[in-house]
Amino acid sequence: MKKHTRNLLIASVTYVAAFVVVTVLSMIAGIIYLDLNDPDVDVGIYIGSIFFTALVSWLVYMTFYFIQRQTAKDVLKAKYLGLGPRILGGLMASACAVAVLLILCFFWISDYGDVESILRTYIDVAGGILLLFIAINFVDFIVLKPRP
């Protein structure tokens, strides 16, 4: 397996693992309860918010990955992919994750009458989720580069 393919797989698994870990830790901390007899809309909103944050981060990484792979394929002596473009990619992925979580999901409330969303109720948890995804974005973009 080529190194860039392995890096893509590791980055993809990292985003999925972050989604699973945040969801499980939220259940352990008592923020959400998965009771099949009493489905709670806020639980779906909370899990959906985490899912969309992970998905957007992963999509930005995939876009960066395929652009860099296309450059490596088209240009035989492509310029070395330095730290600057990878940091910029991490910044863009982090900005997209912040936009999705704080702009789209932060005000997402249930239809049955809650005044504010579950993320606004647990604002420190929302900050922790953002910090986790920002850290994952920078690690994935800097360490798991798509080309040398």
Side-chain angles (χ1 to χ4, degrees):
M1 178 181 297
K2 293 189 176 189
K3 187 173 182 179
H4 61 84
T5 305
R6 179 184 55 101
N7 287 347
L8 174 65
L9 289 174
I10 292 171
S12 298
V13 167
T14 304
Y15 288 117
V16 171
F19 167 70
V20 171
V21 165
V22 169
T23 304
V24 169
L25 286 178
S26 297
M27 289 181 349
I28 291 171
I31 295 169
I32 59 173
Y33 303 98
L34 292 182
D35 184 8
L36 297 178
N37 296 328
D38 184 26
D40 189 5
V41 178
D42 279 347
V43 171
I45 289 172
Y46 183 82
I47 293 173
S49 299
I50 299 166
F51 174 76
F52 289 131
T53 304
L55 180 66
V56 164
S57 295
W58 179 74
L59 287 174
V60 172
Y61 180 82
M62 292 296 290
T63 302
F64 178 77
Y65 177 87
F66 285 118
I67 288 171
Q68 294 302 323
R69 289 307 313 149
Q70 191 65 34
T71 301
K73 186 169 65 171
D74 291 344
V75 181
L76 292 177
K77 295 199 179 216
K79 183 181 169 189
Y80 174 75
L81 183 60
L83 193 58
R86 292 181 284 156
I87 290 175
L88 184 63
L91 283 172
M92 289 187 331
S94 297
C96 290
V98 167
V100 165
L101 193 68
L102 291 184
I103 295 172
L104 296 178
C105 298
F106 201 65
F107 299 102
W108 188 3
I109 59 171
S110 63
D111 293 334
Y112 66 91
D114 280 349
V115 182
E116 57 184 31
S117 72
I118 193 168
L119 287 174
R120 288 183 74 183
T121 303
Y122 296 103
I123 195 161
D124 52 340
V125 174
I129 293 169
L130 278 178
L131 288 177
L132 174 70
F133 279 103
I134 288 170
I136 288 171
N137 284 330
F138 278 104
V139 168
D140 283 353
F141 275 83
I142 292 172
V143 176
L144 303 173
K145 55 188 176 178
R147 68 181 177 94

